[in-house]
Amino acid sequence: MVSPHDMHRVAPDRPLIPVLQRVVLARDPEFCRYSEKPAPLTLTDGRQALHDYWFASDEDPCMPDDIFPLLRWGGQFVYAASGARRAAEISSHFAGRGFELIQQPTSVRRPLLSLPGRIGAIAARVGMPLGSKVHYFIARKVQLTRPREINERFTYHLQLSADSTQPTGYAVIKEVPSVERVVARLEQRFPEISTDVLMKRALKFTEKIFPTFLTREAAMLKILERHLPSTHANRVPRLLDLEKDQRGYVRKLRMTWLRNAVPRGRPLTQLEFARQSADLLHVLHEHAHVIHLDLRLDNFVITENGVGFVDFGSSVRVGEDLKSNALLSTLFEELMRTSEIQRMLARMTLCGSVTSPVLNEGYQKVDKAVDFFYLAVQINSPASNPDFLGLVQADASSEQAKRIKQITEEVLRPRNLSNPRYRSARDLLEALRTIPDMC
């Protein structure tokens, strides 16, 4: 299997792949945009950047479970075969495994590249049917996790759906998962609990908890659309439409897809990532008056428009009275006790890594300080999100990284406890702007 970056090395032993690249994909705007990016990064722990395109031919492993972890969400797998039967057989395995066939098995004739001079060049360019057939299909990764795969990262069912009205050609479908999927997830986490008890819990999740948060997410996206400045509106999802049940709860929503991509043709520096994140959070808090409450790196994206935030299901409005609704009050009290962010804040406070009274004020509370705390921590390690490999360049030994870390330390442990220098995302942004772009 090969990525576009390795094409110059595979032509001799995989001759079918370059044919598809020249004859089928060369004029495809998506291929031209997303196959031309810097070579993927590999970290010392062996992780490698995900790809927007991955190629394979007869000689390569080509099952969907092999391909899925290599591609970004929305990435394409292009398979070339010397025979029609082989292409059809391999394509049949991709149905129901997190992929959508965007090109059913078909064929193209291989141009005779050995023709002399201008004749050969013209034949190659226009794909003249002078050679044998190359059979192929193209599959797009449309699900965020593999079907039946259980992990801690995602709870809702998320899938890309073709939409010609959108610039990306796709929209994101987010919906309440099936009872069966929730039961499977609970069985993995609590193997000692009986099936009957797990079923009752799963029904509570699918009938109350998930619909409640999905309904709130739809409402938050509408607030963001109304109140975010136009300069920032394309850095959060926009609600397209939704489906409700008989009780008025949202069961499915459709929103714009913020595709991870290299901004402006090159990866962001760590400083650019930090500034853009702080800027978006400042605007979120002070213009839209929304608190995200779950700013894990999983909920960041890096798009052609810069850093964006997704997953507003647990967000709240600044000053919102959650206690007026018994269910919401209970859900958010539990969230503030058990979330990853709150657990980290508790650990860091107990060990003395966090002494800021501003941050301590946000402990187990629905407060802007929760977002401020976690953002200050996250901007020091963007590469811990595997989706960002190749999209952000972060070198812990660089002068910029050291300056960012110094600012974070002052956020967490201010020298003046009675009057901390950093109290908000705006303060953090202003400090980051003092760091030279090249230092």
Side-chain angles (χ1 to χ4, degrees), residues 111-132:
L112 290 180
L113 301 180
S114 59
L115 287 175
R118 293 183 60 190
I119 297 177
I122 293 171
R125 187 165 61 250
V126 302
M128 289 176 61
L130 301 174
S132 59

Side-chain angles (χ1 to χ4, degrees), residues 80-337:
S82 54
R85 181 177 297 179
R86 174 69 173 171
E89 176 190 354
I90 298 301
S91 70
S92 67
H93 294 285
F94 282 75
R97 291 304 298 162
F99 289 87
E100 170 187 76
L101 287 184
I102 60 174
Q103 173 58 68
Q104 295 288 337
T106 186
S107 64
V108 64
R109 286 198 178 274
R110 186 187 334 197
L112 290 180
L113 301 180
S114 59
L115 287 175
R118 293 183 60 190
I119 297 177
I122 293 171
R125 187 165 61 250
V126 302
M128 289 176 61
L130 301 174
S132 59
K133 287 184 178 180
V134 176
H135 301 269
Y136 72 98
F137 70 86
I138 303 175
R140 188 187 298 275
K141 178 179 174 178
V142 293
Q143 292 190 20
L144 204 48
T145 58
R146 280 178 287 206
R148 300 181 295 280
E149 180 180 43
I150 304 297
N151 61 37
E152 294 299 318
R153 187 175 176 186
F154 303 106
T155 51
Y156 292 91
H157 178 73
L158 284 156
Q159 182 167 334
L160 295 176
S161 175
D163 186 340
S164 60
T165 67
Q166 298 303 307
T168 61
Y170 282 81
V172 173
I173 302 293
K174 185 174 184 178
E175 60 185 317
V176 174
S178 66
V179 173
E180 292 75 18
R181 182 166 177 82
V182 177
V183 168
R185 181 182 176 89
L186 292 173
E187 282 178 338
Q188 187 178 70
R189 294 187 62 187
F190 308 105
E192 72 283 357
I193 297 180
S194 69
T195 302
D196 289 344
V197 173
L198 291 179
M199 179 62 72
K200 289 180 181 178
R201 292 187 182 181
L203 287 171
K204 182 178 180 180
F205 274 107
T206 57
E207 295 303 313
K208 285 188 176 181
I209 297 176
F210 287 145
T212 295
F213 282 117
L214 203 57
T215 302
R216 287 186 61 82
E217 180 161 18
M220 291 298 163
L221 293 181
K222 291 179 181 179
I223 290 173
L224 295 178
E225 186 173 2
R226 288 197 301 268
H227 297 292
L228 278 183
S230 59
T231 52
H232 295 71
N234 56 7
R235 293 166 59 188
V236 299
R238 179 170 57 85
L239 181 66
L240 298 173
D241 55 52
L242 51 81
E243 294 180 12
K244 295 182 179 180
D245 60 22
Q246 294 178 342
R247 301 167 300 164
Y249 285 109
V250 174
R251 304 289 301 186
K252 177 191 294 188
L253 58 81
R254 199 166 63 91
M255 54 191 166
T256 53
W257 176 31
L258 302 187
R259 180 173 185 165
N260 275 318
V262 179
R264 298 183 303 279
R266 64 168 180 81
L268 294 178
T269 65
Q270 184 179 348
L271 180 59
E272 288 172 324
F273 173 79
R275 285 176 180 168
Q276 292 183 20
S277 301
D279 173 53
L280 183 55
L281 183 59
H282 162 61
V283 171
L284 196 70
H285 284 175
E286 307 306 327
H287 290 258
H289 305 290
V290 167
I291 307 171
H292 191 284
L293 288 181
D294 194 17
L295 277 184
R296 296 169 298 142
L297 281 178
D298 292 346
N299 291 330
F300 286 60
V301 290
I302 298 176
T303 73
E304 294 176 323
N305 299 308
V307 176
F309 298 156
V310 298
D311 195 356
F312 286 84
S314 56
S315 301
V316 299
R317 302 187 309 276
V318 174
E320 182 176 358
D321 182 13
L322 297 171
K323 293 184 178 180
S324 62
N325 183 303
L327 176 60
L328 284 180
S329 179
T330 300
L331 290 177
F332 276 91
E333 284 177 5
E334 178 69 13
L335 183 64
M336 291 302 100
R337 285 197 302 270

